[in-house]
Amino acid sequence: MESVRSDPAAPAGESALTVKILVAGGFGVGKSTLVSAVSEIRPLRTEEALTEKSIGVDDTTAVAGKTTTTVAMDFGRITLPNGLVLFVFGTPGQDRFWFMWDELAKGALGAVVLVDTRRLADCFASVDYFERRGVPFIIGVNRFDGAGVHSADQVRDALDLSADVPVISCDVRERESAKQVLIALVEHIMRSMSNRRDPGALTY
């Protein structure tokens, strides 16, 4: 686990607890949108235009209006009401950029895996990545037009998740909705730390 105490906006004589988290998921599921929606600073984005070279590589069937893709990462920052500062890193969604994941994951205390219920299989790799490494994560079911409505239990069963993994419905275009997903993740991280009886657990 890794956290850093430093925030230039903190009052004199105080320092904020900063925590690194990841936002993962398949191509076009809303990772960049979530980071941009919640960030209190201008987000760092590494997007490039989709070109004819991506034909047959990037499946845009369900996201026909998507014209760009993240090639490295997204980065934003949000301060929660209790003063906890989250450094939010969005991961690239395509398999060909997966070599960057290990670097991005260093020091991360938890992750949000965004899913589109029209193409659940796209998030299997992300779920597997965090399960294998014991990184606490939650599922954010991003609401897309035409996706239909599925209960948390239906999504959990489809992804073969353990009962303790939270499944949250959200619209990451809306700041408050995206923020609630991050709060749910922090609460899940706390529970996970408490279950492990980690002396370095967060105080939220």
Side-chain angles (χ1 to χ4, degrees), residues 30-84:
K31 301 181 294 295
S32 298
T33 301
L34 185 151
V35 174
S36 295
V38 300
S39 184
E40 61 199 12
I41 62 173
R42 182 177 180 179
L44 168 66
R45 303 181 69 169
T46 59
E47 293 199 327
E48 296 291 341
L50 291 171
T51 68
E52 61 182 14
K53 291 183 179 180
S54 68
I55 296 175
V57 178
D58 299 323
D59 183 4
T60 60
T61 304
V63 284
K66 186 170 178 60
T67 59
T68 61
T69 184
T70 299
V71 297
M73 67 176 184
D74 300 304
F75 171 75
R77 185 187 73 186
I78 178 174
T79 304
L80 298 183
N82 67 338
L84 182 68

Side-chain angles (χ1 to χ4, degrees), residues 80-100:
L80 298 183
N82 67 338
L84 182 68
V85 177
L86 302 184
F87 287 167
V88 186
F89 289 80
T91 66
Q94 300 95 316
D95 293 351
R96 64 184 183 277
F97 297 127
W98 268 61
F99 66 91
M100 301 187 61

Side-chain angles (χ1 to χ4, degrees), residues 20-26 29-32 34-35 38 78 86-92 101 108-115 123 126-127 129-130 135-142 159 165-170 172 177-189:
K20 178 182 180 180
I21 64 170
L22 300 182
V23 180
V29 80
K31 301 181 294 295
S32 298
L34 185 151
V35 174
V38 300
I78 178 174
L86 302 184
F87 287 167
V88 186
F89 289 80
T91 66
W101 274 57
L109 293 189
V112 174
V113 176
L114 285 180
V115 305
C123 76
S126 298
V127 169
Y129 183 90
F130 297 120
V135 176
F137 69 94
I138 69 170
I139 299 296
V141 181
N142 197 8
L159 296 177
V165 177
V167 178
I168 311 294
S169 178
C170 59
V172 299
S177 182
K179 181 179 175 182
Q180 290 305 314
V181 173
L182 299 184
I183 290 174
L185 172 61
V186 170
E187 292 172 345
H188 181 54
I189 293 171

